[in-house]
Amino acid sequence: MRETRLWSLHILVIPIIAVLLGMHFALMHYAPVFYDVSVDEAREFSTMIERGKSMTQFVVYTLLLIAGLYHGLYGLRGILRELPLTPTLVKVVDIGILIFGLMIFALGMYVTWWTFNAPLGG
Amino acid sequence: MSTNKSSSYNNRLGLKGWMYAGRYSFERYLYLGHRLSGLGLIAYMVLHIVETANRIRGEEAWAGLMALFASPPFRVIEYLLFVMAIFHALNGVRLILVELGFFLGKPQEPVYPYKSSIMKHRPLTYIIMLLAFVVMVLGSSSLFFE
């Protein structure tokens, strides 16, 4: 049952990733098409800090971070668990991926929070 | 006795089995592509989070990193990531549809000559892969954005 729930969550986060990653692509990689701004301008430090102060941006990136990391690391866990591992190694994989995911999530959240609170002008 | 025999028989192909184990179908190679693109994307996501943390070091450090990413080799890498993301996403849509039982036809008696459900959803597979190809080609214009 636990595995079913984890798998279902893996599938349920897909629409969130699709929408939010689409927004991220539009904003950062296809800025000339959607915002009439060059890619270089969209990636400028001041533009990025200004953008990062928006609550919408903060929420979008927090959700994308959670959904993306969960989907990706759950997939990685599935691939690793297919290998001929001993029960102990399966536990190592599970706990290792959980700790790694939490560390990367903490770093991503710290950067998002730092941008949200950074003074304008750098 | 027979249990012991079957458990001692090593039929694991390991990673080689991902690539080839005889007569793999088109969908099997899509499965391989889905795995490889998934691994590439999660590796990139982690690197992307670490790399964007560079902003904390200030404007100069950020500008240096962006200048590096604007160079032609990184533009090509960025495009390859885009290709992986599009393939993974659209093939994922196909997998969800199949998982939910769409485009597989109704269950039938297994009477020879057998009809494969794979063949029933093959047109969907081709349509989705064609769509992925079109999006990849359209997305390649980002290489020329200034």
Side-chain angles (χ1 to χ4, degrees):
Chain A
M1 195 62 193
R2 179 176 169 265
E3 286 302 319
T4 307
R5 273 197 223 111
L6 293 177
W7 181 83
S8 303
L9 193 58
H10 172 71
I11 300 300
L12 288 171
V13 296
I14 293 172
I16 300 174
I17 297 173
V19 172
L20 302 184
L21 193 61
M23 286 165 73
H24 176 70
F25 269 139
L27 193 67
M28 299 303 295
H29 304 272
Y30 290 90
V33 179
F34 294 99
Y35 297 95
D36 201 21
V37 173
S38 75
V39 170
D40 291 339
E41 274 176 283
R43 291 175 184 184
E44 268 176 18
F45 189 77
S46 54
T47 318
M48 178 197 61
I49 296 290
E50 205 178 317
R51 218 175 26 229
K53 300 198 145 307
S54 135
M55 181 51 87
T56 312
Q57 174 100 355
F58 182 78
V59 172
V60 161
Y61 278 104
T62 303
L63 288 176
L64 185 57
L65 199 57
I66 295 169
L69 278 176
Y70 180 77
H71 186 81
L73 293 176
Y74 178 85
L76 176 64
R77 172 182 176 263
I79 291 173
L80 291 176
R81 282 174 66 126
E82 270 185 22
L83 299 172
L85 303 177
T86 61
T88 312
L89 275 175
V90 168
K91 272 190 186 169
V92 170
V93 165
D94 284 0
I95 295 170
I97 285 184
L98 179 67
I99 293 172
F100 179 72
L102 288 174
M103 280 166 59
I104 294 296
F105 174 71
L107 175 65
M109 273 318 296
Y110 173 67
V111 173
T112 310
W113 181 249
W114 180 88
T115 315
F116 189 63
N117 290 293
L120 276 173
Chain B
M1 188 73 177
S2 59
T3 313
N4 284 343
K5 267 189 181 174
S6 63
S7 64
S8 64
Y9 175 63
N10 183 10
N11 63 350
R12 287 182 189 277
L13 289 172
L15 291 180
K16 271 192 297 183
W18 283 21
M19 317 284 174
Y20 184 76
R23 289 201 69 194
Y24 274 167
S25 67
F26 179 54
E27 284 76 9
R28 177 69 194 208
Y29 289 102
L30 294 181
Y31 154 90
L32 174 63
H34 199 77
R35 287 209 147 181
L36 294 177
S37 59
L39 287 172
L41 289 169
I42 186 62
Y44 172 71
M45 186 180 179
V46 170
L47 286 175
H48 192 47
I49 292 168
V50 172
E51 154 242 314
T52 50
N54 212 40
R55 71 182 68 172
I56 292 168
R57 290 172 54 214
E59 191 166 356
E60 215 169 291
W62 180 260
L65 194 66
M66 289 304 112
L68 178 69
F69 291 157
S71 63
F74 276 91
R75 281 283 166 101
V76 173
I77 292 170
E78 196 172 83
Y79 177 65
L80 288 177
L81 282 162
F82 173 75
V83 165
M84 282 200 287
I86 294 301
F87 171 79
H88 195 83
L90 289 175
N91 190 51
V93 169
R94 180 184 72 83
L95 291 175
I96 290 173
L97 288 173
V98 170
E99 182 78 32
L100 296 175
F102 293 106
F103 301 99
L104 293 177
K106 287 183 179 170
Q108 289 176 335
E109 291 279 335
V111 179
Y112 189 82
Y114 308 118
K115 285 181 183 169
S116 162
S117 59
I118 289 178
M119 293 317 287
K120 287 203 172 150
H121 92 262
R122 180 73 49 94
L124 170 79
T125 307
Y126 287 149
I127 291 169
I128 287 186
M129 284 305 117
L130 186 67
L131 181 65
F133 179 73
V134 170
V135 176
M136 285 168 194
V137 171
L138 290 176
S140 67
S141 59
S142 68
L143 278 174
F144 308 106
F145 283 157
E146 288 301 328

